[in-house]
Amino acid sequence: KYATDIVNATDANLAAAVRSLERQMSQIENSFIATGNTHNARVVCGMDIRTSGPHLMEAARAGAAVFNVNFENIGEVSTPILHYIVKSYNFPQFAEPTVQGYYKAISDAFKELHEITVEPEGSRYQPKLIVDCANGVGAPRFRDLLQHIPKELLEVEFRNESGPLNHLCGADFVKIAQKLPANFNSEDQDPKCATFDGDADRLIYFRAKKGAEPGAAELFDGDKIACLYAMYIKEQLKAYHETRPTYNIDMGIVQTAYANGSSTRFIKDTLGLKSVIVKTGVKHLHEEASEFDVGIYFEANGHGTVVFSAHFDSIIRRHPHENLALRRLALFSRVINETVGDAFADLLAVEIILRHYGWSMDDWAEKMYKDVPNVQIKVPVADRSIFETTNAEQTLVKPDGIQKMIDQDVAKFKNSRAFIRPSGTENIVRVYAEADTVENTQALGKSLEQVIRNLCIA
């Protein structure tokens, strides 16, 4: 709340907003003194590998000094590592609040879960994959984590370790362009491939698309990762519900409007789970997922995790279980970084599930659902504020009449769905479209792009 107030203050009002914050902090500090409590505030700060990092780190240190609080520089880390350490400071039983504590907690849970995971007969699982590191901080830190995991459990080949951040690589590039990242080619279709984004909080699996033009990628994105998690967790929960039928643990999956329509149908019709659609933005997904005992949330771009309730914690994680399924469930929940989407933890979780089912990439593709063709288009506009949405950003209420135009275009194509929403950070409008064929999808997307251009020109 305090950060939002400061960030949203105008230049003219910034000084007054800071003074207001100072008064509020002073009142809080005085309440600590009055009750005899010790004010033990701490700021933990990490940075990525960009050259601006050290300068911004010192600015943050100076800002913390203004409020006379402890400041800890944990160096170059992924965003999820920073989140994990902050949680560990606030909840000491969670993990040791250091980078090494993060590595140890997640790798130990992965190795122990690996020991009790038996591949089925005829397994086609291979513990090898190629990772696109987006020229970001994920490369050095993931190498560090893998030092704690034997190669026979997971063997990783690294690509795009240095160069311009996210340039022709990374999860966002692969997702939007639906193309292989730089330094990958169409021969890379036998091993599994995965991609991080620059700060390693997103994960998408991919491979060269068979039978398509060179450079095209088949994606196993956030939707497919969420469904994979749900299959596995539901299977383990079944054992719990059979032994304790009166103590229900509820599970749901939270998505945004960008989720592929096939994934939502698979969740409801095949998995028999509740799917909730919320506004774009991790804070909205995380909040809704926290309403479940096991809340799985993912954006299609690969940013997501699983959130576990205090009820789950008290009956699954805090008790030893002879039941193998419940032991797997408890350990899986510790491989996951539930504080935020984490490419490293999510990758380990995907690998353990694929091993559990004995799946290759072909199996993963064939035994779930086939994506409906989809396209995303960015359209620059002079003023994004004229666009207002409702229904989890799936329906435009302003400008007047534009939603009717969208509905008319969508009605022209089979199995189609589309929406238009303004960006939250820049003057662009985003178009998302689905239809039964690639050609129809592209035609629908282009038609909606023209609706926006005509409106803005007018």
Side-chain angles (χ1 to χ4, degrees):
K1 178 184 179 302
Y2 301 125
T4 300
D5 290 343
I6 293 294
V7 168
N8 288 333
T10 64
D11 289 350
N13 293 332
L14 179 59
V18 172
R19 285 195 292 272
S20 174
L21 179 59
E22 288 175 338
R23 288 193 294 272
Q24 292 176 79
M25 293 299 101
S26 178
Q27 291 170 359
I28 292 171
E29 188 168 13
N30 289 337
S31 71
F32 273 102
I33 295 171
T35 57
N37 291 324
T38 301
H39 190 192
N40 190 30
R42 177 185 299 270
V43 172
V44 183
C45 195
M47 58 184 172
D48 62 22
I49 59 175
R50 284 176 286 196
T51 55
S52 57
H55 169 74
L56 294 172
M57 180 68 73
E58 287 310 307
R61 185 191 302 277
V66 169
F67 294 98
N68 194 31
V69 301
N70 298 311
F71 184 89
E72 182 174 350
N73 174 356
I74 61 173
E76 292 181 351
V77 294
S78 68
T79 297
I81 291 177
L82 174 62
H83 281 257
Y84 197 93
I85 290 174
V86 169
K87 178 163 183 173
S88 297
Y89 268 118
N90 286 315
F91 301 92
Q93 72 277 12
F94 186 67
E96 177 188 317
T98 64
V99 176
Q100 289 300 319
Y102 164 89
Y103 294 149
K104 186 176 188 307
I106 289 179
S107 64
D108 283 355
F110 175 78
K111 288 183 288 188
E112 190 174 345
L113 181 53
H114 197 281
E115 289 178 2
I116 61 172
T117 299
V118 180
E119 290 184 59
E121 186 176 345
S123 170
R124 301 202 296 174
Y125 172 76
Q126 292 292 331
K128 298 179 180 180
L129 74 160
I130 304 171
V131 175
D132 162 33
C133 297
N135 298 323
V137 73
R141 297 294 80 84
F142 194 44
R143 281 190 180 277
D144 291 344
L145 174 59
L146 290 178
Q147 293 298 314
H148 299 259
I149 297 173
K151 274 193 174 182
E152 58 267 25
L153 304 191
L154 186 62
E155 185 176 341
V156 176
E157 177 185 334
F158 289 75
R159 294 188 187 173
N160 297 324
E161 295 187 68
S162 61
L165 187 67
N166 293 319
H167 179 62
L168 299 179
C169 59
D172 196 52
F173 170 81
V174 174
K175 175 61 180 174
I176 299 297
Q178 298 186 33
K179 294 180 179 179
L180 301 176
N183 300 311
F184 286 75
N185 57 59
S186 297
E187 296 176 359
D188 291 324
Q189 59 184 1
D190 289 332
K192 291 175 297 218
C193 301
T195 176
F196 301 157
D197 63 332
D199 65 341
D201 61 4
R202 299 183 193 177
L203 171 72
I204 289 178
Y205 275 69
F206 68 94
R207 63 178 177 178
K209 194 169 186 177
K210 299 177 182 179
E213 62 183 29
E218 179 184 4
L219 307 187
F220 299 74
D221 59 9
D223 298 332
K224 288 216 167 149
I225 293 173
C227 290
L228 186 71
Y229 285 6
M231 285 180 62
Y232 180 79
I233 295 172
K234 183 180 179 182
E235 179 184 289
Q236 313 316 314
L237 278 176
K238 182 179 178 183
Y240 170 77
H241 288 140
E242 286 174 350
T243 57
R244 309 264 313 263
T246 57
Y247 292 85
N248 185 52
I249 294 179
D250 67 316
M251 177 168 67
I253 299 180
V254 185
Q255 300 177 295
T256 71
Y258 287 104
N260 194 275
S262 291
S263 72
T264 305
R265 288 188 288 273
F266 181 82
I267 291 166
K268 294 177 179 178
D269 300 339
T270 303
L271 296 180
L273 295 173
K274 184 178 182 181
S275 171
V276 181
I277 305 295
V278 299
K279 291 173 62 176
T280 301
V282 173
K283 65 180 181 181
H284 302 298
L285 288 104
H286 193 100
E287 181 179 0
E288 187 66 33
S290 298
E291 296 296 314
F292 297 97
D293 291 318
V294 179
I296 303 169
Y297 72 83
F298 265 88
E299 292 185 298
N301 64 21
H303 194 170
T305 189
V306 187
V307 180
F308 303 95
S309 71
H311 175 57
F312 176 96
D313 192 61
S314 65
I315 60 178
I316 299 295
R317 283 201 287 219
R318 298 199 177 279
H319 296 285
H321 295 287
E322 294 182 5
N323 184 293
L324 195 60
L326 297 186
R327 285 178 61 198
R328 283 197 291 258
L329 188 57
L331 287 168
F332 182 82
S333 73
R334 296 198 180 281
V335 172
I336 289 291
N337 180 354
E338 63 181 294
T339 63
V340 72
D342 183 339
F344 303 168
D346 285 341
L347 185 147
L348 295 180
V350 168
E351 290 299 314
I352 207 72
I353 298 173
L354 293 178
R355 184 173 187 268
H356 171 79
Y357 289 122
W359 282 4
S360 63
M361 294 291 274
D362 282 340
D363 295 318
W364 191 2
E366 294 167 3
K367 296 182 180 181
M368 276 198 173
Y369 59 86
K370 185 176 181 180
D371 279 333
V372 177
N374 61 90
V375 65
Q376 295 185 42
I377 302 172
K378 297 179 181 179
V379 186
V381 295
D383 180 10
R384 72 181 189 275
S385 67
I386 67 172
F387 296 87
E388 293 184 17
T389 64
T390 187
N391 185 29
E393 301 180 310
Q394 298 176 92
T395 305
L396 273 172
V397 293
K398 288 184 179 180
D400 293 339
I402 192 170
Q403 186 58 47
K404 184 177 180 180
M405 297 179 192
I406 296 171
D407 294 340
Q408 289 171 344
D409 277 351
V410 168
K412 297 174 184 177
F413 301 95
K414 186 178 179 182
N415 295 333
S416 60
R417 179 174 74 92
F419 63 88
I420 294 173
R421 59 174 287 269
S423 166
T425 57
E426 51 189 326
N427 272 327
I428 61 172
V429 172
R430 302 181 188 275
V431 175
Y432 178 87
E434 294 179 358
D436 57 334
T437 67
V438 172
E439 294 76 16
N440 284 344
T441 298
Q442 291 174 343
L444 176 57
K446 288 295 182 183
S447 179
L448 295 179
E449 178 183 4
Q450 195 58 49
V451 167
I452 297 171
R453 294 189 183 281
N454 291 342
L455 174 72
C456 291
I457 291 171

